[in-house]
Amino acid sequence: MSALTDLPPLRQSLEAHGLMADKGLGQHFLLDLNITRKIARLAGPLEGAKVLEIGPGPGGLTRALLEAGAHVTAIEKDVRFLPLLNELQEVSDGRLTIQMADALKVDEAALTAGHPVAIVSNLPYNIGTALLIKWLTGPYRPAAMTLMFQKEVAQRIVARPGDDAYGRLAVIAQATAQAKIVMEAPARAFTPPPKVDSAVVRLDPLNERPPEALLGALERVSQAAFGQRRKMLRASLKVLGGAALCDGAGIDSARRAETLSLEEFMGLAEALRRVEGAR
């Protein structure tokens, strides 16, 4: 632990290596260790726990996770940060593994020996939503997720029917996990400051996730419904059956997507499965 705390400040390390954030990769660094330590605490007891971190960059959150006692596998695409991460690895007592890879393409199960682990990350802004959908609907199921997003994306994840932010992301997230915003971070907390504030969302996967076929149907129904959210369901869902599909789920086809509860969207997904199974 003393070796970790003896490391130079992150800003100093970045300057020493001549590194700056790459906007093309959606990079905004968290250099304030008070904030990164709070994120680690929000992820739960981490002593001896296995953690997957996406996009560690210069390693600010990585330091906090290691200080909390976690065994961290860090996936980084930008090779510029490898020297900084290697320096951190040298003082990690063997608790940091670095994997240079594209997080959208990586096989998490292979990296974690098939064991569910907690994912704790300050996600790159440009791939955060895609990664979340991958973890919520794909074959690999994390034990828990504590993730930093743009604040507006965080609000979309936890939104309820009738909220302006309610949409496909809320439906998929809440069908597969319990989601809650647990922390907010102003733009000034980052280097360079983004144009928007951020927030941390804690997601705990449900014990029983919808079967793969039903989850696939839910994705198609919610995508079609919110793709034309100002239209009545009979129009927005026309490609999937329109009014007939709504009748099969016992839902008024004159309603709009933002008024439907998660249970009603699940009903539409069940109706779509029945229709497709009858073909």
Side-chain angles (χ1 to χ4, degrees):
M1 184 64 69
S2 60
L4 283 169
T5 55
D6 288 343
L7 287 170
L10 283 167
R11 195 177 301 276
Q12 182 178 321
S13 295
L14 284 167
E15 291 175 354
H17 288 273
L19 293 173
M20 298 177 63
D22 187 333
K23 291 184 178 180
L25 295 177
Q27 293 174 344
H28 297 278
F29 303 144
L30 270 174
L31 304 183
D32 187 334
L33 288 179
N34 291 320
I35 294 178
T36 57
R37 285 166 179 154
K38 183 175 181 179
I39 295 171
R41 288 196 300 272
L42 289 169
L46 294 180
E47 184 67 42
K50 297 184 183 299
V51 170
L52 190 64
E53 182 189 4
I54 308 301
L61 180 56
T62 317
R63 289 192 189 189
L65 294 171
L66 291 170
E67 285 179 6
H71 293 255
V72 181
T73 297
I75 301 174
E76 179 55 67
K77 182 179 180 179
D78 192 339
V79 296
R80 298 180 304 149
F81 295 113
L82 191 54
L84 273 74
L85 294 173
N86 282 337
E87 290 174 4
L88 190 53
Q89 187 177 48
E90 290 175 3
V91 296
S92 70
D93 297 324
R95 292 186 291 113
L96 175 60
T97 301
I98 304 165
Q99 181 74 31
M100 302 304 297
D102 184 339
L104 287 170
K105 300 176 181 178
V106 76
D107 181 348
E108 294 89 351
L111 286 179
T112 60
H115 300 298
V117 302
I119 300 179
V120 187
S121 296
N122 170 28
L123 294 175
Y125 279 179
N126 58 350
I127 60 171
T129 301
L131 285 171
L132 178 61
I133 293 294
K134 175 188 179 186
W135 296 325
L136 291 175
T137 65
Y140 184 72
R141 304 187 183 187
M145 293 171 275
T146 307
L147 308 171
M148 178 82 81
F149 297 94
Q150 295 178 29
K151 187 175 179 179
E152 63 180 35
V153 175
Q155 291 171 333
R156 286 167 49 205
I157 294 169
V158 303
R160 300 297 179 184
D163 292 346
D164 290 341
Y166 186 60
R168 171 175 173 263
L169 188 56
V171 171
I172 299 302
Q174 294 169 38
T176 53
Q178 291 183 332
K180 181 181 180 181
I181 293 177
V182 293
M183 174 184 167
E184 296 186 3
R188 64 178 181 275
F190 297 83
T191 302
K195 295 180 180 179
V196 297
D197 293 337
S198 298
V200 175
V201 181
R202 167 79 185 216
L203 297 108
D204 292 288
L206 300 177
N207 291 332
E208 293 188 16
R209 192 170 78 175
E212 183 178 351
L214 181 59
L215 195 52
L218 181 64
E219 288 189 83
R220 298 200 303 279
V221 164
S222 58
Q223 184 174 18
F226 287 108
Q228 303 179 74
R229 63 186 301 143
R230 298 307 173 195
K231 292 188 176 182
M232 296 180 184
L233 292 171
R234 66 174 66 122
S236 62
L237 295 177
K238 186 174 181 180
V239 68
L240 299 177
L245 180 67
C246 292
D247 290 344
I251 293 172
D252 183 353
S253 64
R255 292 173 63 186
R256 291 177 172 80
E258 66 264 23
T259 71
L260 267 61
S261 67
L262 172 60
E263 291 72 21
E264 289 173 317
F265 269 110
M266 294 298 294
L268 284 170
E270 288 278 13
L272 181 60
R273 280 191 64 193
R274 291 195 297 269
V275 170
E276 292 177 339
R279 291 174 183 167

